Amino acid sequence: MQRRELLRLLATAGATPLLAPLLARASEDASWQAEFEAPNAPWKLGFATPPGDLPLAPAEVRGRFPDAVAGTLYRIGPAGHDLGGERYHHWFDGDGMVQQLVIEGRQVHHQGRYVATPKRVAEVRAGRRLTEAFGTVPPGVEPPTSADGINVANTSVLPLQGEVLALWEGGSATRIDARTLATLGLKTWRPDLAGMPFSAHPKVDPDGTVWNFGVGSSQGLLALYEIAPEGQLRRAAVVPVADLPMVHDFAVTERHLVFLMPPLVYDGARKQPGTSFLDAHVWRPELGMRALVVDKKDWDKRQLLTLPAGFLFHVGNAWEEATPKGARIHIDYVRSEDASSVFTTNRELMRGRRVTSPEPHLTVATLDLGTGRATQHALDFAAEFPRIDPRRVGLRHRSVVHATQLMKERPGFGAIARTDVETGRSQRFVYGPQAMVEEHVFVPDGRRPGWVLGTVLDLARGKTVLSCFAADDLKAGPVAQAILPRALPLGLHGAFVPV
C-alpha cells in the first residue's frame, strides 16, 4: 500500500483514533453529576467545571521570582466536565482550558480560556453534548464522523513560532494566540494530513527539531512527524505496527525514536454502538511491554524488543551509547503493573470517588540493539509527570523532576522531587496534606543549577499556587510563590517560554 493511501486511511479513521490516554466506560443508568455533587470531599474542587473563561487577574506574590523564570508558563487540562446537567464519565473527556501565568519578578498575572474547538462551540450553543467522547457515550448522541469533530484540545501544549499549539491524542493540534489565548483554528501541516492524529507529547531536540507521532488504532498505523525549528513540516509518514496499543508518550535519542508499547490493545470487534472507545481495548500481558525503536533518518529501519508487561503514560528521557555490537539505549519512564488507572481510577474521579490503582514507579530500562535484550529496574518511590532539563532531550542526563508521595485521603500527589536516575538518590519538597501537586517543569539558567517551576491546588486556601524552587535544593522550599485569586481545574501538562 502506498504511503498516501496509508495517510488517507489514518486521517479518515474518525470513529476510532486514539484519544487522550485516560478513557472510561459509559454508564447509562446513573447520574454522575448528582454523585459528584453529593459527597463532601474537598479535593473535588480540582475537578469542578469553571462556568466560563477566567479573566486576567494579578496574583499575590511572596518573594521574588528569579530573572531566569521571567516569561510565561502555559498549562492545559480538561476543565469542561459537565454540560446540561450531564457529567462526563472520565477526567480526560473534559473540554480543554489553557492557562497562562505571566511571571515578572514580583508580579504574576493569570488568565484562563477554554479552547474554542468546533466541538465545544457547537455543544455550548446547543446546551448539551452532541457526540460521544471516547470515555463517555452520553445518551442520545451521534457517533463521531471525524476525529476533529470530537477534538477537546486538553492534554498538552507546544509553543512554536509565536503561537501555542493545544494538543490532544486523536486529531489535529489547535492553534492558540500566545498572548490573548484566543483560539485561531486547527493546525494543518500539509493538506493531505488534515485530521491526522498529532499526539500530545512532541519532543524538541536541542537543535529545535520537533518530533511527534500519532496513533490510528483501528488501522494498526503509527504516524511519524519531523518538523523544522522554523515550524515547517519536513517529513510525515505512517508505518504499520501489529497489535498497536495505546501510546501516549515516546522518547528520542540522537539517532532514534523510541516507543514503549504497553499491552493494552484495541479490538475493533468490541466497538459497538453505545460502547466507549475504552471498552474496545483488551489487556494482553502475553505481549509484554514492547519497545519499538525507529531510526531517525530512515523510518523503514525498525527494531522490536520486549520488556515485562506493564503500563505507562509518561516517559522522562532517553539517550544512547555506542557498543561494539551496536547502540544501547537508556530510557526512564513511569511504570505501573497494569492499566487499572485507565479503566477505573480516573473514571471514578468524575463522580467524586477515590479508587486506588497500583503505584506508578520511576523505572529505568536498557535496550541493547546489538543483542536484542531489554532489561529494567524500578526505583523505590511513586512518581508521575517526569520532566527534564529541556537542553538534555535525547542526550545523557541524570536528573528527572517529578511528582511523588501518593496521598491516602485524596487523589494525586503531595510532593515534588528531583531524582538521579543513575544513583537513585532523590530530594523532595512536601507541600503538605492540603495540596494537590501538578506537573512541575525545569527552567534552565545558563550554567547555574536552574529552577523548578510548577503549580499546586491548595485546598486549605481554595486557590492554585505557583511555586519556584532552586533545582539543586528542593528541600529548602520555594524561593518565591504566587497565590492566584482562584482555584484552577487540575491540569495535565505545560511549557515555559522565557521572555
Side-chain angles (χ1 to χ4, degrees), residues 69-371:
V69 299
T72 303
L73 177 65
Y74 296 97
R75 287 188 49 75
I76 201 168
H81 301 297
D82 51 72
L83 182 66
E86 296 290 334
R87 188 168 178 81
Y88 274 139
H89 296 182
H90 198 285
W91 182 22
F92 273 78
D93 285 340
D95 296 319
M97 174 179 273
V98 62
Q99 313 290 348
Q100 178 196 68
L101 296 106
V102 180
I103 306 165
E104 185 179 3
R106 298 187 186 278
Q107 295 187 52
V108 172
H109 287 80
H110 167 265
Q111 68 169 323
R113 293 186 70 172
Y114 279 105
V115 184
T117 62
K119 169 196 174 293
R120 176 168 174 81
V121 170
E123 291 185 336
V124 170
R125 183 181 298 122
R128 64 181 182 89
R129 300 300 180 193
L130 301 176
T131 187
E132 67 178 71
F134 276 62
T136 312
V137 184
V141 303
E142 296 294 326
T145 58
S146 70
D148 283 334
I150 53 174
N151 191 333
V152 287
N154 70 0
T155 311
S156 192
V157 292
L158 173 64
L160 188 67
Q161 292 300 302
E163 293 182 345
V164 175
L165 298 182
L167 305 177
W168 179 66
E169 299 293 282
S172 305
T174 302
R175 298 169 51 231
I176 303 294
D177 185 290
R179 184 180 63 83
T180 67
L181 304 187
T183 301
L184 304 177
L186 298 176
K187 175 68 175 180
T188 301
W189 299 102
R190 199 172 63 202
D192 62 318
L193 301 178
M196 286 273 288
F198 188 81
S199 197
H201 283 284
K203 304 301 178 188
V204 184
D205 275 341
D207 70 357
T209 299
V210 179
W211 302 88
N212 204 7
F213 71 98
V215 172
S217 300
S218 62
Q219 296 77 32
L221 299 175
L222 180 70
L224 302 176
Y225 300 86
E226 180 185 358
I227 300 163
E230 298 76 25
Q232 290 81 34
L233 181 73
R234 284 178 180 160
R235 283 188 294 166
V238 293
V239 299
V241 178
D243 296 316
L244 184 60
M246 278 189 195
V247 182
H248 175 63
D249 199 356
F250 78 126
V252 299
T253 68
E254 289 182 277
R255 298 192 297 122
H256 294 94
L257 313 176
V258 186
F259 299 87
L260 297 182
M261 304 192 300
L264 186 61
V265 178
Y266 180 81
D267 180 355
R270 292 172 175 251
K271 186 67 178 80
Q272 302 295 324
T275 302
S276 75
F277 184 68
L278 179 60
D279 291 326
H281 281 79
V282 183
W283 182 249
R284 294 179 55 192
E286 71 276 10
L287 293 175
M289 174 85 78
R290 293 168 294 156
L292 175 65
V293 181
V294 182
D295 188 289
K296 271 184 171 179
K297 291 184 178 180
D298 185 353
W299 292 344
D300 289 329
K301 292 183 178 178
R302 303 187 291 273
Q303 187 172 348
L304 199 63
L305 300 88
T306 305
L307 290 160
F311 185 74
L312 81 151
F313 293 131
H314 299 120
V315 174
N317 191 39
W319 60 279
E320 63 183 82
E321 59 180 332
T323 73
K325 294 184 178 181
R328 182 181 294 139
I329 293 174
H330 304 270
I331 180 170
D332 46 82
Y333 72 105
V334 177
R335 179 184 182 275
S336 299
E337 285 294 326
D338 60 39
S340 59
S341 60
V342 177
F343 287 98
T344 304
T345 305
N346 288 289
R347 174 197 181 196
E348 294 299 315
L349 293 173
M350 288 294 95
R351 49 183 171 187
R353 299 178 182 176
R354 182 181 184 276
V355 177
T356 60
S357 54
E359 284 193 359
H361 287 264
L362 192 61
T363 300
V364 181
T366 300
L367 311 175
D368 194 318
L369 304 188
T371 65

Side-chain angles (χ1 to χ4, degrees), residues 442-471:
F442 184 97
V443 179
D445 188 2
R447 295 181 177 274
R448 299 179 181 87
W451 307 93
V452 172
L453 186 67
T455 51
V456 300
L457 177 58
D458 187 324
L459 298 176
R461 288 189 175 103
K463 296 179 179 180
T464 293
V465 178
L466 172 70
S467 299
C468 180
F469 302 83

Side-chain angles (χ1 to χ4, degrees), residues 343-412:
F343 287 98
T344 304
T345 305
N346 288 289
R347 174 197 181 196
E348 294 299 315
L349 293 173
M350 288 294 95
R351 49 183 171 187
R353 299 178 182 176
R354 182 181 184 276
V355 177
T356 60
S357 54
E359 284 193 359
H361 287 264
L362 192 61
T363 300
V364 181
T366 300
L367 311 175
D368 194 318
L369 304 188
T371 65
R373 184 168 180 260
T375 59
Q376 67 182 15
H377 71 277
L379 303 181
D380 193 25
F381 42 79
E384 246 309 350
F385 299 122
R387 297 295 297 262
I388 67 160
D389 183 337
R391 299 170 297 186
R392 305 304 301 170
V393 170
L395 305 176
R396 187 169 186 174
H397 67 297
R398 295 287 294 269
S399 296
V400 175
V401 174
H402 58 91
T404 191
Q405 188 175 295
L406 286 165
M407 307 300 287
K408 293 182 179 180
E409 65 279 6
R410 54 173 172 71

